[in-house]
Amino acid sequence: MKIVILGAGPGGYVAALKGAQMGADVTVIEGREVGGTCLNEGCIPTKTLIASAEAYVTALHCDSYGIDFSGSLTPNVQKLMARKNGVISTQVKGIRALFKSWGVKLKEGRGSFISEKEVRVVNGSGQEEVISGEKFIIATGSRPAEIPTFPFDGKRIISSSDALNMDGIPTSMIIIGAGVMGCEFACIYQSFGTEVTMVELMPRALTTEDPEVSQILERELKKKKIKLITDVKVDRVSVEANDVRAFLSNGKELKAEKLLVTIGRAFNSDGIGLDKVSVTPGKGGVISVNAMMQTSNPDVYAIGDVVGGMLLAHVASTEGMVAIKNIMGHKEEMDYTCVPGGIFTSPEIGSVGMREHQLQERGIKYRKGQFLYRALGKAHAMGEITGMFKVLSDEAGKAILGVHIVGHNASDIIHEAAVAIKAGLSVKALAETIHAHPTLAEGLMEAAEDVFGEAIHAPKK
């Protein structure tokens, strides 16, 4: 089977490797660099900067851990960026090495369909090559959307990509959007000393998350002196010589050195010759697919951001494997009911399954168990007592409907809950699973016990 994949992001490169493992002849076409947005301009570089920010903040407060330090600490932007770029480079080399190991052919250039079975590749030098295939996977991803109200100039009005390649720490920053990206960048730059103001159209930050999770995060943002303005839009912006001004719908005006736009993604379905394979993108360029990741053309599949929905790297990777398995004759459908999510704010957030407001909106009767980080010995030992574990179950207290964690290492701990939901384990099974002491994960066990009002380290309700 000859498979041609457009895009080597977390969807495309995983699909390529899975296809090669299953015996297919795989060619991947990538116009920029393997790893896609996630590796080069998203997940990995932001988490690298977050790690540096956390190290810096911990060092600033080392006295609280019983360590005396009389020197001065200063973030070095050049070293921060060098470390970030080094991490990216290592991961890029790793993907390229995996391609070589499994016999995946990488064609560097922009690919576009020229017929039902052919893709033209044009490299950076303008040289062309035609690649033929039997099956195709579109994994072209997305990019920051160009919004007329906020025209990117790379200096005053910046995108998320620009924010990862700064040559200095700005004294002040306005962030448009208090979603995942906006909140992560707010925490990063505030840690390094930037005065941050966030503007959000919706009534709360992180509207996709559980309301109580948002409430805790908003409280922590306030403690960090990150200003959050909700229920308001930015009508227009004005770039001045030394700053940028944002004029809000409530009549107020904000001023900062930089304005970071973290709202809107544009889908990379334009200019790839979809008409040649009888695939018509929908609103905004989204490519429609069925549960097997097939487009309207049964020989053309699409995965990742370009199909809309959950714009997450691990979702794209899973969609890639589903597509490949179907191409190779193994009927499989994509299941979105148990997708864990991690938000790398300070504190972190981990979520899987239904949110409490979703249960309420759908009229589903449920039970709730909660447990605070501050009741954990390990949290006190680490100096990380902010946060909460929440377990949502059906009314009988049997099926786990959702789990939400806000606190240190939440993005890692949440996978225990994801496995439990995927395996169909009961709340009782989670509560009765012995957890090592002292660990943060004990909080999940106690939250499961609290569904029945039996958490050992919680006061009687």
Side-chain angles (χ1 to χ4, degrees), residues 200-217:
E200 171 57 48
L201 180 64
M202 303 299 284
R204 62 183 174 95
L206 300 176
T207 54
T208 58
E209 296 303 309
D210 189 277
E212 283 189 281
V213 168
S214 293
Q215 186 178 27
I216 292 173
L217 180 66

Side-chain angles (χ1 to χ4, degrees), residues 96-115:
R96 286 176 174 266
L98 287 170
F99 277 0
K100 186 175 181 180
S101 172
W102 287 98
V104 174
K105 295 182 285 293
L106 174 63
K107 299 293 181 179
E108 299 187 61
R110 182 171 175 80
S112 59
F113 291 100
I114 56 174
S115 74

Side-chain angles (χ1 to χ4, degrees), residues 12 155 183-184 250 380:
K155 295 179 181 179
C183 288
E184 287 187 355
N250 61 8
H380 282 271

Side-chain angles (χ1 to χ4, degrees), residues 171-175 182 185-187 189-191 194-198 225-228:
T171 57
S172 56
M173 177 182 287
I174 299 166
I175 299 179
F185 273 116
C187 291
Y189 277 97
Q190 183 277 333
S191 295
T194 302
E195 182 183 306
V196 178
T197 300
M198 306 177 73
K225 294 183 168 42
I226 295 173
K227 188 174 182 181
L228 173 63

